[in-house]
Amino acid sequence: MTDSATDFAVPATATDAAGTTDAAADATDAVDAAVDPELRGRALDGILLLLPRVLKRELPEIGENACLFDEVGLTSAATLELILELEDHLDVQIDVEGIDQDDLRSVGTLAGFVAGHVIAED
């Protein structure tokens, strides 16, 4: 007789070149599927537009997968400023209570976070 608690296989967690686990990628995919794609696109465009203003310097052309901290040079203070500027640009209020480091991994993950965390108007 076998113990049913040990009969299931636990899948190995693979890590890609960026250090993202399959589980983290799956969670990001699930969040991305729950957001409005039009708003995500507007957020992405807004982030790319506002980053040079917030960082007070010209940036080389960056894409959706650009790492905000390592490649772009975003700081904690600049992150707050970027989110405030983005709220004005998109004319929305963003609920930042649940934001974490993974949401700030890249331009695209931040756009997904923004699109999924807009506070509805009363």
Side-chain angles (χ1 to χ4, degrees), residues 23-117:
D26 289 345
T28 300
D29 291 344
V31 169
D32 286 346
V35 301
D36 174 5
E38 188 271 333
L39 180 55
R40 186 184 183 282
R42 288 180 37 227
L44 183 64
D45 292 344
I47 292 166
L48 294 172
L49 175 75
L50 295 168
L51 273 170
R53 181 187 321 169
V54 167
L55 295 174
K56 297 172 180 51
R57 62 182 167 84
E58 290 297 316
L59 294 174
E61 188 171 325
I62 58 173
E64 183 173 340
N65 295 323
C67 180
L68 286 169
F69 292 96
D70 295 338
E71 292 177 49
V72 179
L74 199 67
T75 63
S76 296
T79 300
L80 179 59
E81 184 178 348
L82 176 62
I83 291 172
L84 292 172
E85 291 278 341
L86 199 53
E87 285 180 326
D88 286 343
H89 179 77
L90 297 173
D91 195 27
V92 297
Q93 187 175 2
I94 302 165
D95 179 8
V96 295
E97 290 296 317
I99 198 166
D100 63 24
Q101 192 67 27
D102 197 50
D103 297 317
L104 300 170
R105 186 178 68 244
S106 69
V107 174
T109 59
L110 179 57
F113 176 85
V114 168
H117 291 84

